[in-house]
Amino acid sequence: MIYRTIASTAQRDRNFFLSLINQSATLSHLNQTHANLIRNGLSTDLITITKLTHKFSDFKAISKAKNLFTSFNNANPPDLFLYNVLIRGFSRNELAFESLSLYFQLLKDTKLRPDNFTFAFVVSGFSSSGYEKVGVLLHGHVIVSGFSSDVFVGSALVDMYMNFSRIGHAYKVFDGIYERDSVLWNTMVSGLVRNCCFEESIRVFGDMVARGTRFDSTTLAVVLTAVAELQDLRNGMLIHCLAVKMGYHCHEYVLTGLISLYSKCGDVPTAKLLFGLIKVPDLISCNAMIAGFCFNNENESSVRLFRELLFQGEKVNSSTIVGLIPVSCPFGHLTLTCSIHGFCVKSGMVSNPSVSTALTTVYSRLNEMELARRLFDESPKKSLASWNAMISGYAQNGLTDMAISLFREMQKLDIHPNPVTITSILSACAQLGTLSMGKWVHDLIKKEKFESNIYVLTALVDMYAKCGNIEEARQVFDSITEKNVVTWNAMISAYGLHGRGREAMLLFDQMLHSGISPTGVTFLCVLYACSHAGLVEEGQKIFHSMVHDHGTEPLPEHYACMVDLLGRAGKLEDALKFIYGMPLEPGPAEWGALLGACMVHKNIDLARLASDKLFAMDIGSVGYYVLLSNIYSADRNYFQAASVRKVLKNKNLAKTPGCTLIEVNGFQHVFTSSDQSHPQAAAIYAKLEELMEKMREAGFHTETSTALHDVEEEEKELMVQVHSEKLAIAFGLLTSEPRTEIRIIKNLRVCVDCHNFTKFVSKVTDRVIVVRDANSLLDHDGGQWSQCVFTLCLDPLLNTRAMG
């Protein structure tokens, strides 16, 4: 009876203290409870101390939690549950190596064996640590211990691999777990969203629903982020309906996701309506509305809501600022961006990685690269997103060398890229034409297991095409099992770049039969291919089909492509008639395309008409003046040519100096006209003279019609003979292996003489020469130059190919 009373009292005391521990709202309360617990003789009670350790960890008083653990000894050892509680505490307090040390202590000093909770907690500690190798080592322990199919451990591993952007590894873990719960599915979906694999996340969510797995409001909120980023209104509305059906439509997180969805799809009124349904909007929902206004260029509304938050005494966070920064519509908002930047400096938020990344992105898009780089360099903690923003900024502004250099620096720091990094660097390789670098990135894609990412593969197709390897581009394209419209567009465009109009048309038909609906970009790619392959009738049919069969409204780019199609084929009067028949006012794109055709077919009258229209628009493009001057020179009207160049001088417009890049054995060499600076200049000029002798014997004649008129013919020949592309080709022949391809990139239009020179060199040396130039005649999308192809060789007997 006495023993029963003592036991009952002890049990009541334990329950009493367990209740006190649960109710402790502050660390001070918890310390007082701990003191009373010692006084009542429960300092070695395993259950009570375990609960206290757990609570100290939650209050981030991890040192106190650790002291409680060390109070146990061999006579009264801790059990596995207490080990797990402290490992969890270390992990949640970002003390990953302390949790690992305790895990090894468990293995070495006790007879206990870790369970699924042990592994889940210790793996979680390394999810955001950056120590990927340790995480992989722990995964090995999980497999050896027989917990590889455990759903709890699996969720931790998937989350860890997603944080390391090891999407392939995450899928392997996920696929190895047959009984998946909603937590694992949510982890997979949210991980894909974090890694910008939005389409994949929607597909996984679809599988989750199809399997009948119960989802919650958190799942819907995450997948709404994906559809919002894709601006996929149709799927977003389906998810909205699903939320209504399941009763989650009034949940604040879901409403916030819907606000983002409708905002990013341009439906601001619906977003405002949903925002009004929230009785007391919290900071998260306000952030979504601020971002929604900003995304739709309603910056006044965005700033107004931001000010209201400040007047209400609300403490804004980094998400508020990121939503306020005009990332999606930066043009014309440099002053606003600088003001936000100043606020961030004063409030200390400029050091936040997401804030500095957003500011870096805006500065890059506004071509304020010095400001962007300074902000990037000053960031104390650079996230992967900040590296991506800076690399992408360099690539988008044509500073491809800087983009590649920064990517290499990132590699040296052992920072693993994600799909966004890879697509940015592939874009840089495509612009620069560095095939060797592009192939190295391809190997990196295989190493990082990004081969299933459609955006990466599409960028890879584009890179190979623009670097001249159309066969490799097609191989990558064929390897993609589920192609989207962007992928089809990239391959159709690739054939157009290489002058293979028939293949482009065939691929377009295959795209239609596959059930993929073409977009305006698709039609632009097909028309472009037809134009450069001389397929006039086919191009006209495509244009008619675009309007009448597919209901796609032509944009200025489409009309310009049709003018180019007719003009290249010599149908200049038809091209002019087409321009006058346009339902909208012809702009620089259409008149510029006609002027270019006039150069090819030497039509002075139409050239004068087109140039008058262009100069009346006063767009300040040097290219049009130079083109008109060359047309006059070709017609031997040197007085008019000089007059045009005089106008150029009076307007202080300078022609961009021509230069040509060639890559040999992984090193890039740049040549300018009459360049003498190269260490092998003497050998290059000797080789060039040797080539000229062979080509003259083969019937080559120097084309000097566009050279300066006030010099002797012999001097004209010498002038065009030392153009940069000729020097680059001569260097390529000197330094590359026989029968290997020579690839060069010209920053300007290749002249007629260099066109013919390249064909003859290819013939007399039996070498494939790939040439790429930029023809800045089409202007669209806010002043960004459209790159056109200069087809070097229409003669199938010659081994010369073209790209652009």
Side-chain angles (χ1 to χ4, degrees):
M1 186 69 179
I2 295 172
Y3 292 117
R4 282 182 183 178
T5 304
I6 293 170
S8 176
T9 304
Q11 183 66 39
R12 189 186 66 236
D13 288 345
R14 174 193 287 165
N15 290 338
F16 172 73
F17 281 109
L18 288 175
S19 176
L20 279 181
I21 292 168
N22 279 330
Q23 292 172 26
S24 296
T26 64
L27 184 59
S28 176
H29 291 162
L30 196 61
N31 285 329
Q32 291 176 34
T33 302
H34 185 198
N36 282 304
L37 190 147
I38 295 169
R39 185 184 298 174
N40 283 271
L42 289 171
S43 60
T44 57
D45 182 76
L46 189 58
I47 295 174
T48 311
I49 294 301
T50 299
K51 187 65 180 177
L52 191 62
T53 303
H54 190 174
K55 198 72 174 180
F56 271 128
S57 299
D58 288 347
F59 278 125
K60 299 188 181 301
I62 197 68
S63 58
K64 290 183 178 290
K66 187 177 180 180
N67 289 336
L68 286 173
F69 180 85
T70 54
S71 66
F72 288 88
N73 51 42
N74 292 333
N76 184 28
D79 62 359
L80 181 60
F81 190 74
L82 180 54
Y83 267 102
N84 287 347
V85 165
L86 190 55
I87 288 172
R88 172 185 174 275
F90 282 138
S91 295
R92 292 201 169 185
N93 284 275
E94 298 180 1
L95 298 169
F97 282 99
E98 281 80 352
S99 70
L100 184 67
S101 176
L102 191 60
Y103 163 72
F104 282 129
Q105 181 184 325
L106 169 68
L107 292 178
K108 183 181 176 182
D109 299 340
T110 74
K111 294 181 179 181
L112 302 171
R113 284 291 164 261
D115 61 7
N116 57 341
F117 292 103
T118 317
F119 284 116
F121 294 147
V122 74
V123 166
S124 294
F126 284 90
S127 276
S128 55
S129 66
Y131 293 96
E132 183 184 345
K133 291 180 180 178
V134 180
V136 173
L137 174 69
L138 287 169
H139 190 183
H141 281 227
V142 167
I143 294 169
V144 170
S145 300
F147 290 105
S148 58
S149 60
D150 182 87
V151 67
F152 194 56
V153 180
S155 295
L157 285 168
V158 167
D159 185 60
M160 178 189 77
Y161 282 125
M162 285 297 186
N163 284 339
F164 292 139
S165 294
R166 296 286 192 171
I167 297 164
H169 289 41
Y171 264 116
K172 282 185 178 179
V173 174
F174 183 77
D175 293 339
I177 300 169
Y178 302 106
E179 295 184 9
R180 302 164 188 157
D181 62 2
S182 58
V183 175
L184 177 59
W185 283 97
N186 286 356
T187 304
M188 193 68 194
V189 173
S190 62
L192 288 168
V193 170
R194 284 201 308 276
N195 283 279
C196 303
C197 300
F198 304 120
E199 289 181 334
E200 277 289 292
S201 68
I202 295 168
R203 187 189 63 76
V204 171
F205 174 69
D207 290 345
M208 178 183 181
V209 174
R211 292 182 181 226
T213 306
R214 184 176 178 81
F215 58 86
D216 54 20
S217 58
T218 303
T219 323
L220 292 176
V222 170
V223 80
L224 279 169
T225 302
V227 291
E229 289 297 328
L230 291 171
Q231 297 175 34
D232 186 352
L233 185 59
R234 182 179 175 277
N235 273 325
M237 292 177 77
L238 288 174
I239 294 168
H240 191 174
C241 292
L242 192 60
V244 172
K245 183 179 179 181
M246 301 301 294
Y248 294 132
H249 60 291
C250 291
H251 196 285
E252 284 191 12
Y253 290 140
V254 175
L255 278 172
T256 301
L258 289 170
I259 289 167
S260 294
L261 165 71
Y262 287 108
S263 296
K264 290 195 174 179
C265 291
D267 190 354
V268 179
T270 301
K272 288 170 69 176
L273 180 66
L274 291 166
F275 184 69
L277 294 177
I278 304 174
K279 293 179 180 177
V280 183
D282 61 2
L283 183 60
I284 297 172
S285 56
C286 286
N287 289 351
M289 198 67 246
I290 287 171
F293 282 133
C294 188
F295 186 84
N296 288 278
N297 208 19
E298 296 186 18
N299 297 93
E300 288 185 12
S301 299
S302 180
V303 172
R304 191 182 305 116
L305 184 53
F306 174 71
R307 282 175 174 165
E308 285 177 16
L309 286 174
L310 295 180
F311 289 148
Q312 292 167 9
E314 186 76 49
K315 191 174 181 181
V316 297
N317 59 18
S318 59
S319 297
T320 321
I321 300 299
V322 170
L324 189 66
I325 296 169
V327 176
S328 55
C329 304
F331 303 105
H333 298 302
L334 179 59
T335 303
L336 174 61
T337 303
C338 290
S339 298
I340 296 169
H341 190 175
F343 177 86
C344 293
V345 171
K346 289 179 181 178
S347 61
M349 276 194 279
V350 74
S351 60
N352 182 281
S354 58
V355 171
S356 63
T357 299
L359 287 169
T360 300
T361 302
V362 174
Y363 284 137
S364 296
R365 289 180 179 176
L366 292 171
N367 201 20
E368 296 287 344
M369 295 309 298
E370 288 186 15
L371 283 172
R373 186 58 191 256
R374 192 186 312 154
L375 188 62
F376 174 79
D377 290 338
E378 290 173 356
S379 299
K381 190 176 181 182
K382 297 177 180 67
S383 64
L384 179 58
S386 64
W387 284 92
N388 289 347
M390 200 66 238
I391 291 170
S392 176
Y394 279 135
Q396 288 167 5
N397 285 284
L399 301 170
T400 46
D401 282 338
M402 296 295 290
I404 291 171
S405 174
L406 193 61
F407 178 67
R408 283 176 171 153
E409 184 182 332
M410 179 179 161
Q411 291 285 293
K412 287 177 185 176
L413 294 171
D414 201 27
I415 299 170
H416 285 283
N418 67 4
V420 176
T421 327
I422 296 297
T423 52
S424 294
I425 207 65
L426 283 173
S427 173
C429 292
Q431 288 180 53
L432 205 54
T434 51
L435 184 61
S436 59
M437 180 71 180
K439 286 183 175 179
W440 179 81
V441 175
H442 193 173
D443 291 336
L444 185 64
I445 289 166
K446 295 173 183 176
K447 181 184 174 184
E448 298 286 347
K449 308 294 183 187
F450 292 148
E451 293 165 293
S452 62
N453 188 287
I454 193 167
Y455 299 107
V456 169
L457 293 178
T458 301
L460 203 55
V461 169
D462 184 64
M463 182 278 295
Y464 275 123
K466 288 180 178 174
C467 288
N469 199 331
I470 189 70
E471 289 77 17
E472 193 70 40
R474 184 60 196 250
Q475 283 182 21
V476 174
F477 176 80
D478 289 339
S479 72
I480 304 172
T481 51
E482 294 184 15
K483 304 173 180 72
N484 63 16
V485 67
V486 181
T487 311
W488 286 95
N489 290 350
M491 195 63 229
I492 292 169
S493 174
Y495 279 130
L497 293 175
H498 288 258
R500 298 188 181 183
R502 297 289 180 191
E503 287 96 328
M505 290 286 294
L506 182 63
L507 198 63
F508 176 66
D509 289 338
Q510 290 175 9
M511 174 184 169
L512 295 179
H513 286 130
S514 72
I516 301 288
S517 298
T519 63
V521 175
T522 314
F523 286 110
L524 192 62
C525 293
V526 180
L527 289 171
Y528 177 81
C530 290
S531 173
H532 290 272
L535 304 176
V536 178
E537 290 184 13
E538 291 84 348
Q540 289 174 321
K541 287 177 182 177
I542 289 291
F543 188 80
H544 184 274
S545 172
M546 176 180 82
V547 178
H548 296 94
D549 298 336
H550 297 277
T552 302
E553 191 71 28
L555 296 172
E557 297 95 310
H558 299 101
Y559 289 112
C561 229
M562 284 301 295
V563 174
D564 190 56
L565 173 75
L566 295 166
R568 280 175 181 266
K571 298 177 180 291
L572 298 179
E573 294 297 334
D574 290 344
L576 183 63
K577 188 177 178 181
F578 181 86
I579 290 175
Y580 284 137
M582 285 171 51
L584 46 87
E585 187 69 25
E590 292 78 26
W591 290 114
L594 182 61
L595 183 61
C598 291
M599 172 66 193
V600 175
H601 298 285
K602 297 180 173 59
N603 189 316
I604 302 297
D605 294 333
L606 274 185
R608 191 178 292 110
L609 170 66
S611 60
D612 286 345
K613 296 287 186 182
L614 287 164
F615 300 155
M617 295 173 191
D618 195 27
I619 55 176
S621 172
V622 179
Y624 297 134
Y625 289 94
V626 173
L627 195 53
L628 182 62
S629 174
N630 288 342
I631 292 171
Y632 282 130
S633 294
D635 193 48
R636 299 188 177 278
N637 190 340
Y638 299 123
F639 177 77
Q640 288 291 348
S643 297
V644 174
R645 291 182 184 271
K646 187 176 181 181
V647 172
L648 262 180
K649 188 176 181 180
N650 291 339
K651 286 179 173 284
N652 290 320
L653 296 174
K655 179 177 176 286
T656 304
C659 64
T660 302
L661 178 145
I662 183 170
E663 184 180 5
V664 178
N665 299 324
F667 293 95
Q668 294 173 357
H669 303 262
V670 178
F671 293 89
T672 57
S673 184
S674 306
D675 200 341
Q676 298 281 350
S677 63
H678 197 278
Q680 293 176 254
I684 291 167
Y685 279 92
K687 184 67 176 177
L688 190 56
E689 187 57 41
E690 177 192 325
L691 286 171
M692 293 300 295
E693 284 295 326
K694 288 182 180 179
M695 290 193 303
R696 287 189 191 103
E697 292 174 7
F700 174 73
H701 296 285
T702 304
E703 173 62 60
T704 61
S705 62
T706 58
L708 295 176
H709 66 276
D710 54 352
V711 295
E712 295 297 325
E713 189 66 25
E714 187 178 341
E715 192 174 346
K716 288 182 182 180
E717 289 190 17
L718 290 174
M719 288 169 63
V720 295
Q721 187 175 322
V722 291
H723 280 183
S724 61
E725 47 266 66
K726 292 188 176 81
L727 298 175
I729 290 172
F731 176 72
L733 290 168
L734 274 173
T735 54
S736 62
E737 294 296 322
R739 295 192 175 276
T740 56
E741 289 186 356
I742 294 174
R743 302 167 184 273
I744 66 169
I745 300 174
K746 177 75 182 286
N747 68 326
L748 303 176
R749 176 194 284 262
V750 173
C751 73
V752 177
D753 184 65
C754 288
H755 176 158
N756 296 330
F757 172 87
T758 308
K759 288 197 293 185
F760 271 88
V761 170
S762 177
K763 184 178 180 180
V764 300
T765 62
D766 194 27
R767 298 283 285 270
V768 174
I769 303 176
V770 183
V771 181
R772 170 176 164 183
D773 79 344
N775 179 4
S776 299
L777 285 178
L778 296 179
D779 187 14
H780 71 97
D781 192 19
Q784 295 180 347
W785 290 109
S786 169
Q787 284 193 327
C788 298
V789 181
F790 179 57
T791 308
L792 285 175
C793 183
L794 298 177
D795 186 349
L797 297 176
L798 297 181
N799 289 328
T800 311
R801 292 210 311 271
M803 51 182 281

